[in-house]
Amino acid sequence: AEIPRGLRQSCRAHEEEIAAVELGDCGPDCVPVDCVFGDWSPWSDCSCSGVRSQKRVVTQYPRCGGVPCAGALERTDKCDADCGGDRDCMYGEWTEYSACSTTCGGGKSERVRTVKQYSQGSGTACKDEQLHDYRLCNNEECPVAVD
């Protein structure tokens, strides 16, 4: 679909307000879509520092003036630590993939997981790069606006 220049400029004027404004989102048939978060992951095991955490992802980004995303993607809580002996790092389950960051032109989708058990002693350490996973999505070309 081709988007008239005036509508395209109107979309650009709102990019700072709406995280996922993309070419075509401000058309006359545009229906507001609110931000939606996925479920919280299970709580991680308690770290030796006495902290556990949960994570979630955005499963639907707002469009067409929908309610923007507001809220944390990670939360922590205090817990009673049990830190005897050597332990390897263990990861929790992956969350579902987030919504694609674009509707066209190439975007990415993310899933996350928490550390279920932190390493201790001489156990294998946790690696931050093992907490996020990305995949490419919506690689189709975007419609070209007409002047």
Side-chain angles (χ1 to χ4, degrees), residues 68-88:
C69 300
L73 295 176
E74 181 174 8
R75 61 186 178 189
T76 59
D77 190 26
K78 292 182 180 179
C79 55
D80 294 325
D82 174 22
C83 294
D86 292 336
R87 288 191 202 172
D88 289 337

Side-chain angles (χ1 to χ4, degrees), residues 8 10 15 21 25 59 68 90 100 111 133 138:
R8 183 180 48 183
S10 174
E15 282 179 340
V21 170
D25 280 350
T59 57
M90 291 177 59
C100 190
R111 65 181 181 166
D133 181 41
N138 294 339

Side-chain angles (χ1 to χ4, degrees), residues 45-66:
D45 283 348
C46 192
S47 69
C48 288
S49 60
V51 177
R52 63 185 184 155
S53 65
Q54 287 183 301
K55 293 185 180 187
R56 64 181 176 172
V57 296
V58 174
T59 57
Q60 174 65 60
Y61 287 95
R63 289 194 313 256
C64 302

Side-chain angles (χ1 to χ4, degrees), residues 1-42:
E2 296 184 302
I3 308 300
R5 177 175 280 206
L7 288 177
R8 183 180 48 183
Q9 290 170 341
S10 174
C11 282
R12 288 191 177 128
H14 297 287
E15 282 179 340
E16 291 181 14
E17 282 179 45
I18 303 168
V21 170
E22 296 151 20
L23 189 62
D25 280 350
C26 291
D29 297 328
C30 187
V31 176
V33 175
D34 296 342
C35 174
V36 177
F37 289 102
D39 293 334
W40 287 103
S41 67

